Amino acid sequence: MAKRCDKMAPEHNVYTVFTFVSTHQALKAEKVLKEEALKASIIPVPREISSLCGLAIRVDAQQRGQVEQTLRGKGVGIEAVFDFVPRTK
Amino acid sequence: MIYLDNAATSWPKPEGVYQAVDDCLRHRGGNPGRGGHRLSLQAGRIILETRELLAQLFNITDSARIIFTGNVTEALNLALKGFLRAGDHLILTSMEHNAVVRPAYRLQDTGVEQTIIPCSREGRLDLATLAKNLRANTRLICVNHASNVTGTIQPIEAIGELAASKGIPLLVDCAQTAGILPIDVVKNKISLLAFTGHKGLFGPQGTGGLYIGKEIDLQPLKEGGTGSKSEVFVQPEELPDRFESGTPNTPGIAGLGAGIKFVLQEGLERIRKHEQALTRQIIEGLRRLEGVTRYGPNDLEEQTAVVSLNLEGWEAGELSYVLDQVFDIAVRSGLHCAPLAHATIDTLETGTLRISPGYFNTPAEIEVLLEALYSLVREKTSGRR
């Protein structure tokens, strides 16, 4: 299930962070998404999140479903998925 | 220098291997999997890429199940010591290298039983004998895919079938065959595959690894930093981190990746054919020489590019020394770290001279070797008169 976190939002767009069970899986996720031409950045895991691995993948929230499906389809070990919502102030 | 010691270390390497090591050290020199800056990520990507290339080569579905080690010896130690427990029975063959024989011997101290299946004088393993030696507590069968002494290839597909039919995992030491013979962990029903990077895969020394099948519950031999789950003191369960504590040999793994790419580009069949042609040339050339005793199978299809021999009137070490010093030809003499194999082919006292051509050797170089051997024999014969 997606967890929500509204503390860390450097911009106004909603975005999604995938965490992984190991660096291998994080880098594999990056590779798989690149092969599928899905836009993703590899980032250090945001402090609000606890993860087994220090690297995470950030994608546009609208891509979340497609990214998740692609990663699972390729057997990438996803740990958790988080949606980051910008503060409404 | 004519280099004919490829069974020990392949040399030279494909150009891409030198470039990959240099590029890694110069431009991707961060610590892989530690931190998220770009230089670290670059290093991490190298490791991932090499893992995926290995997975492609050995038909491994999940590349995370490939662990990097310093060499095949470390991989075999991990497989044997991480898997076997007191009361387990291990089967190995008399053609094993000391990389298996010594850890297996030591494991006897911890209550692991072992049976060494004697192979024929050509180094062949008899499947019926293997089947007869299985016990209720046999927990692992360990087989050298091809001997580093005689080149004898074992029928791993048939061995895998037998092992699988009895529910016993198969550990294969493919030090001599990776990059030369097809190896398919699914088709050959291999549960543990120990490989080295510096021979047929054309990588630098200090690279190797172990494939660990899903069905295998393996204990790590070392614990430490993995760049993951840092807040807990327990070693992570996730592969490959579970078995890869400490900073890896990233430049070496970069070179290994380039070596595997070369192998995949050239194709196993082409590499094998070239090595077979050179081996045939050596064997046929030796027939013209008197006093040669050659070991191993008399069939090119049943051996890798290793020709082990003794020459009457010559001690193997002396012969290799003269070939090196006088003729600038590098071959190896002695027991090749495999005393059990030498006992099997009855050369434990003498050792052998081992000629092992590789993909970069040429027929002209083999001709120079043969001419050198002819001249040495002529000299000895005329000296006696």
Side-chain angles (χ1 to χ4, degrees), chain B residues 322-333:
Chain B
V322 172
L323 284 172
D324 179 42
Q325 296 289 318
V326 180
F327 296 93
D328 208 18
I329 298 170
V331 294
R332 184 172 171 188
S333 65

Side-chain angles (χ1 to χ4, degrees), chain A residues 24 27-28 30-31 42 52, chain B residues 41 45 52 63 228-229:
Chain A
H24 170 83
L27 291 172
K28 180 146 185 178
E30 180 195 41
K31 187 183 169 204
I42 197 139
L52 293 171
Chain B
L41 293 177
R45 289 184 191 114
E52 302 252 289
S63 66
S228 58
K229 227 180 177 175

Side-chain angles (χ1 to χ4, degrees), chain B residues 238-284:
Chain B
E238 279 302 324
L239 270 67
D241 295 6
R242 184 166 176 74
F243 301 99
E244 288 188 351
S245 293
T247 299
N249 175 9
T250 312
I253 292 169
L256 174 59
I260 300 166
K261 265 190 211 158
F262 177 83
V263 166
L264 292 170
Q265 270 159 17
E266 298 295 302
L268 293 178
E269 207 182 308
R270 190 167 158 180
I271 292 171
R272 170 86 169 128
K273 281 217 167 106
H274 181 71
E275 291 196 358
Q276 266 181 329
L278 297 174
T279 309
R280 182 182 297 115
Q281 192 188 346
I282 296 169
I283 290 172
E284 282 172 5

Side-chain angles (χ1 to χ4, degrees), chain A residues 24-73:
Chain A
H24 170 83
Q25 300 295 345
L27 291 172
K28 180 146 185 178
E30 180 195 41
K31 187 183 169 204
V32 163
L33 296 176
K34 198 175 172 189
E35 281 165 3
E36 299 292 320
L38 287 162
K39 211 178 151 201
S41 340
I42 197 139
I43 57 164
V45 171
R47 246 186 336 154
E48 288 78 0
I49 300 173
S50 165
S51 172
L52 293 171
C53 153
L55 298 176
I57 292 271
R58 176 186 161 155
V59 300
D60 194 287
Q62 287 171 336
Q63 300 266 49
R64 181 190 158 143
Q66 203 185 346
V67 166
E68 188 164 352
Q69 200 182 358
T70 305
L71 294 180
R72 294 205 192 278

